[in-house]
């Protein structure tokens, strides 16, 4: 699954071609409006002005996308900085039990609030639960079902995962579930474990440049970091219940 920065790189070529089309005859006519106004009849000037406004809107739209394309490649670094800053109010795992099996509970910060989180063994996989209580999970992510995801731990190891959103009783509550491969007790130390990439739902059509940028922005808004210094003391019991050492 390509990472957001790889997708963004592909967008540069697409936007470049579209900007070239605009610059070679389909746009960039606003600067001629004043001279044309001084020579042409009023009715014709209105037609020219209408065309220029349309072309100018297209130009403005693509220039905005071009600027976003320049800025978005810096998002991974900015994302790490922002999520690490949010992880400074670190929290520790709390030992618990569900149906006779060990669990490790922890608070997960999404934006400005903390939400209940939990690690446990589910279907012989280590599962990370994040409870959504007031619509903190963006609506596009609520359609996810067994979609590929990637998380990155403090040692910059990329952990493969699958993501599923389990709806609750209302439109604003549910559970985001990640089944994570290769998780270790030390994955939450240091700068912690963070969401790195997330594939869109099967039904999503990201063929348009703008849709790809919107999806990348949606994932960025949901990105979380979980940091705990007591993971190596608490998590081995949970991991061993799934046959992970």
């Amino acid at each position: 699954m390509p990472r957001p920065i790889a997708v963004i790189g592909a967008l540069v070529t697409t936007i470049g071609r579209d900007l070239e089309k605009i610059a070679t005859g389909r746009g960039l006519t606003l600067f001629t409006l004043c001279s044309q106004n001084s020579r042409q009849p009023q009715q014709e000037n209105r037609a020219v002005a209408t065309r220029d406004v349309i072309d100018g809107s297209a130009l403005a739209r693509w220039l905005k996308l071009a600027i976003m394309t320049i800025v978005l490649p810096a998002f991974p670094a900015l994302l790490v900085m922002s999520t690490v800053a949010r992880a400074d109010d670190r929290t520790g795992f709390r030992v618990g039990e569900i149906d006779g099996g060990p669990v490790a509970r922890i608070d997960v910060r999404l934006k400005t609030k903390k939400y209940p989180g939990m690690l446990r063994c589910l279907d012989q996989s280590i599962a990370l639960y994040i409870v959504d209580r007031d619509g903190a999970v963006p609506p596009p992510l609520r359609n996810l079902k067994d979609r590929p995801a990637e998380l990155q731990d403090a040692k910059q190891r990329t952990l493969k995962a699958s993501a599923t959103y389990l709806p609750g009783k209302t439109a604003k509550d549910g559970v985001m579930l990640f089944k994570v491969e290769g998780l270790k007790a030390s994955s939450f130390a240091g700068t912690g474990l963070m969401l790195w990439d997330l594939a869109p739902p099967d039904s999503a059509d990201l063929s348009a440049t703008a849709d790809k940028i919107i999806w990348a922005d949606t994932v960025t808004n949901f990105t979380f970091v979980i940091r705990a210094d007591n993971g190596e003391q608490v998590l081995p019991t949970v991991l061993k219940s799934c046959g992970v050492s």
Side-chain angles (χ1 to χ4, degrees), residues 33-198:
L33 183 58
C34 292
S35 61
Q36 290 172 337
N37 280 343
S38 63
R39 298 192 303 268
Q40 298 176 347
Q42 184 176 3
Q43 184 176 3
E44 185 176 351
N45 285 343
R46 281 200 298 267
V48 173
T50 300
R51 189 188 73 240
D52 288 342
V53 168
I54 295 173
D55 290 341
S57 298
L59 177 61
R61 183 170 62 253
W62 283 112
L63 285 177
K64 180 180 179 180
L65 290 174
I67 292 171
M68 291 179 69
T69 303
I70 295 172
V71 173
L72 280 174
F75 268 24
L78 295 175
L79 193 56
V80 170
M81 293 173 62
S82 63
T83 50
V84 168
R86 282 183 286 171
D88 284 343
D89 56 343
R90 68 185 68 180
T91 179
F93 286 104
R94 303 179 298 279
V95 181
E97 184 177 297
I98 294 181
D99 297 331
V103 302
R105 294 186 172 89
I106 192 167
D107 294 329
V108 180
R109 180 178 290 278
L110 299 176
K111 296 183 179 179
T112 59
K113 294 183 179 180
K114 291 182 179 179
Y115 296 84
M118 179 178 67
L119 282 172
R120 66 173 297 195
C121 183
L122 178 67
D123 300 329
Q124 296 303 307
S125 299
I126 297 297
L128 169 63
Y129 295 76
I130 301 177
V131 177
D132 180 17
R133 286 184 170 170
D134 53 9
V137 175
L141 300 187
R142 298 176 197 167
N143 297 319
L144 294 175
K145 184 177 181 180
D146 295 325
R147 297 300 294 149
E150 291 181 353
L151 294 93
Q152 190 175 88
D153 66 10
K155 296 183 179 180
Q156 296 186 341
R157 294 188 311 123
T158 299
L159 309 180
K160 300 294 183 181
S162 65
T164 298
Y165 187 82
L166 307 174
K169 296 180 180 180
T170 72
K172 289 190 175 182
D173 70 283
V175 174
M176 181 64 82
L177 171 65
F178 293 91
K179 290 184 177 180
V180 189
E181 301 176 9
L183 191 71
K184 297 183 178 297
S186 60
S187 294
F188 300 89
T191 55
L193 182 78
M194 67 177 293
L195 176 64
W196 186 250
D197 201 2
L198 190 56

